[in-house]
Amino acid sequence: MSAPEIDFDSLLPRLGERLAEAELRPVHGRVRRIRGLLVHASVDGTGIGELCYLRDPLSGRHVAAEVIGFEDEDAILSPIGDLQGMSTRAEVIATGGPQGVPVGEALLGRVISPLGAFVDAAPGVDVGTLSAYPVHAEPPMPLSRQLIQHPLALGIRAIDGLMTVAKGQRVGIFGEPGVGKSSLLSAIVCGSEADVIVLGLIGERGREVRELLDVQLDAKARRRTVCVVATSDRPAIERARAAMVATSVAEYFRDQGRDVLLLVDSITRFARAQREIGLAAGEPPTRRGYPPSFFAALPRLLERAGPGATGSITALYTVLTEGDGTLDPVAEETRAILDGHIMLSADLARRDHFPAIDVLASRSRLMDTVTSSEQRRNASRIRDLLARYRDVELLLQVGEYREGSDARTDEAVSKHAAIEAFLRQDGAEHSDFEETQRRMSELLS
């Protein structure tokens, strides 16, 4: 989905106001050179993170840009948009502050860009109903957060039953390309009990954006969903900004006392965008070419989710992996920060097992906090039966397993088909939390 040309005079709500105010002031600076992804400009009095506009008097184009560093007497800006058409006479207008994102009830059911502009075909909204939240916000203070005490049903039996997610928990969904991460996210959006859902699509294929929103999500899910989109063709700063804007929108609804489900697809593309920005700014590459700024930006982003003083943000982040992901710094860092991990198996995906969750490799660190002792016992027994079956699977395939040698293994073999049926779930099928627990008990009785 190619992003439409943005009319900056109508950006909501504060961005347009800042541009109008900036145009009344003298020009703050001029572009000195454009090199690759970055713009070098002579601008007095700017700071890191400040939002500026590049205005070309010949073409009349406005392009937003953010100050990301300095070199000698020049400010280094990363444009949030396409620089096509910018000339040597381009001017730089500083707004005096960082970017804000428009927030309010009017965002529900809508699709916005990382600049806060509506990119869907629905009618516009009254700017008076919106306020602005900072894109670069600080995480809540640790002692101001509520304690995590309640589960959040996602409608997926394998998750709700065996790796229960809590309200305010942060979980990573790890898997290779093509194992069903996006399909799993759409099923979670439709089956979740969250009050508000914020969906951040970062570096996604344009074709898949509309398929997800118009085909995979039902009308009820769309009405409570806010989608922030930056497709793969957008500049790196815009793709990186999409994750921050989605988090800011989720923070607004959390501060209203609601339970928010934040889905970011994917952290890997956010990391690659940060790598492009850091290397273009001259940072030294470290592990897999990622600059030091990425390893500082990742925890700042992830720590913004979680419980607040009133509401909560339950966050699911997808991570693309290669093989087992042990050599991938993005997967390693993300897994170390988050409160749980859901591993998707390419082998299960090839067998058309949806969702392709490897139960034995997945874990929720907060499940014991928010579930009953009965559910924990049932989940432990199912895991044990799956592990025992995996131990003798090869023997079964070659006909070498002899029934009666071990009673627990015999039980694992006899109940494996029923366990697989429990774990399989069509994308349109949603199971409530009580039904999932009842089926687990019946399975083991």
Side-chain angles (χ1 to χ4, degrees), residues 236-273:
I237 187 71
E238 195 169 331
R239 282 178 274 131
R241 186 59 47 85
M244 302 176 190
V245 170
T247 304
S248 296
V249 173
E251 287 171 331
Y252 165 77
F253 287 105
R254 176 183 63 188
D255 294 344
Q256 305 301 309
R258 304 192 193 184
D259 293 317
V260 183
L261 178 62
L262 170 64
L263 308 174
V264 177
D265 185 18
S266 68
I267 282 294
T268 304
R269 298 192 183 106
F270 165 79
R272 291 171 181 170

Side-chain angles (χ1 to χ4, degrees), residues 220-424:
K220 181 180 178 182
R222 277 297 301 273
R223 285 195 296 269
R224 58 186 176 130
T225 300
V226 182
C227 186
V228 182
V229 176
T231 50
S232 59
D233 60 301
R234 304 307 299 163
I237 187 71
E238 195 169 331
R239 282 178 274 131
R241 186 59 47 85
M244 302 176 190
V245 170
T247 304
S248 296
V249 173
E251 287 171 331
Y252 165 77
F253 287 105
R254 176 183 63 188
D255 294 344
Q256 305 301 309
R258 304 192 193 184
D259 293 317
V260 183
L261 178 62
L262 170 64
L263 308 174
V264 177
D265 185 18
S266 68
I267 282 294
T268 304
R269 298 192 183 106
F270 165 79
R272 291 171 181 170
Q274 288 287 136
R275 179 169 59 184
E276 287 184 43
I277 298 168
L279 295 180
E283 290 188 60
T286 57
R287 298 169 58 194
R288 286 284 185 98
Y290 289 99
S293 61
F294 161 70
F295 295 100
L298 183 64
R300 282 202 306 268
L301 174 69
L302 301 183
E303 282 296 328
R304 290 170 62 181
T310 52
S312 67
I313 298 177
T314 306
L316 301 180
Y317 304 95
T318 66
V319 182
L320 297 171
T321 59
E322 301 174 9
D324 60 2
T326 55
L327 298 178
D328 184 354
V330 178
E332 286 185 358
E333 291 293 321
T334 304
R335 185 169 174 173
I337 296 170
L338 298 180
D339 309 313
H341 50 275
I342 298 172
M343 309 300 294
L344 301 185
S345 165
D347 179 61
L348 290 175
R350 283 191 291 269
R351 292 195 277 127
D352 202 26
H353 184 295
F354 180 85
I357 298 174
D358 185 345
V359 172
L360 297 180
S362 305
R363 187 68 63 180
S364 169
R365 298 179 183 175
L366 296 176
M367 177 176 175
D368 291 352
T369 305
V370 297
T371 55
S372 65
S373 58
E374 180 184 2
Q375 181 182 345
R376 294 195 294 273
R377 284 195 303 270
N378 290 340
S380 178
R381 278 196 63 194
I382 291 175
R383 286 179 178 274
D384 178 62
L385 293 176
L386 285 171
R388 288 175 180 271
Y389 182 86
R390 184 173 293 183
D391 290 341
V392 299
E393 187 173 13
L394 180 60
L395 295 178
L396 289 168
Q397 291 172 352
V398 299
E400 291 296 322
Y401 176 75
R402 295 293 179 265
E403 186 177 356
S405 58
D406 182 79
R408 294 297 297 272
T409 303
D410 292 343
E411 181 186 10
V413 174
S414 64
K415 290 186 175 180
H416 184 71
I419 293 175
E420 279 225 325
F422 171 79
L423 296 177
R424 284 179 183 262

